[in-house]
Amino acid sequence: MPQIQRVTVWNEYRHEKTNDRVREIYPDGIHEAIAGPLRQQGFQVRTATLDDPLHGLPPAVLDQTDVLIWWGHAAHEEVSDDVVRAVVRRVWNGMGLVVLHSAHFSKVFKTLMGTSCDLKWREAGERERIWVVDPSHPIAAGLGECIVLEHEEMYGEHFDIPAPDELVFASWFEGGEIFRSGCAYHRGRGRVFYFRPGHETYPTYHQEDVQRVIANAVSWVGQAAGAAPVYGNHQPAERLSR
Ligand code: ZN
């Protein structure tokens, strides 16, 4: 039996407090909309938000988190560098990370990628088709050939990320742009998955196939990490002949 994964859903949680449209779609916050379906699937889920002390991510919480999900947009700069360092270290040490939508610009994701993570965007409520480009990947399990979102924000190439270790999804938008929308990475002993959709003024996280991708991603990035590598000056593992 695989161990039950302990998930922390982190949300900036600002738009829901100031924008009526967003509050209408996510009355309990985007974090609860993401956490609810995961709990139903048997994951052990807690939530944390920017305005909690230490952004809700003190060492005791991070230490007990197998998978962290991150949604942020307008307040990336308010996230403390100490918390960013602690999250990045946890990923290197084996914690899984699922980065959603506008968190492409979060300090955590930019630090792990080492690039600008910039992209094109347009808010016109256009149709998005998220095509599965790796049907053998566990994150695509149970999906059809593509997910259709009737109304989403457009993100377009070029997306300034390192080439993904595994590309699972690619999006097409009504306006003609394309985008690498499901990107999997290995960082140290940890796994990272970036999943594109989820603009706050559309009910994207209520859509079942989107919830399925997030649950699959949690399972994939939450796989137990291998033994901790030893670095630095090293005694020979075999006897040297001279
Ligand atoms: Zn957005």
Side-chain angles (χ1 to χ4, degrees), residues 101-102 153 155 199-200:
H101 187 58
S102 41
E153 178 180 19
Y155 277 7
H199 186 68
E200 65 273 9

Side-chain angles (χ1 to χ4, degrees), residues 198-219:
H199 186 68
E200 65 273 9
T201 57
Y202 307 113
T204 300
Y205 295 126
H206 294 310
Q207 197 162 320
E208 206 174 309
D209 37 17
V210 170
Q211 294 170 354
R212 183 185 295 263
V213 171
I214 293 172
N216 288 348
V218 166
S219 296

Side-chain angles (χ1 to χ4, degrees), residues 46-105:
R46 68 167 102 205
T47 62
T49 67
L50 178 64
D51 293 324
D52 296 336
L54 285 175
H55 313 318
L57 299 174
V61 169
L62 281 179
D63 288 348
Q64 292 169 33
T65 297
D66 302 313
V67 176
L68 178 64
I69 299 178
W70 196 278
W71 195 100
H73 177 225
H76 297 310
E77 287 309 310
E78 291 181 46
V79 177
S80 108
D81 290 336
D82 287 345
V83 169
V84 171
R85 269 191 292 272
V87 168
V88 167
R89 260 198 308 270
R90 276 287 292 131
V91 172
W92 290 343
N93 286 321
M95 181 181 73
L97 178 69
V98 177
V99 176
L100 296 173
H101 187 58
S102 41
H104 71 93
F105 255 175

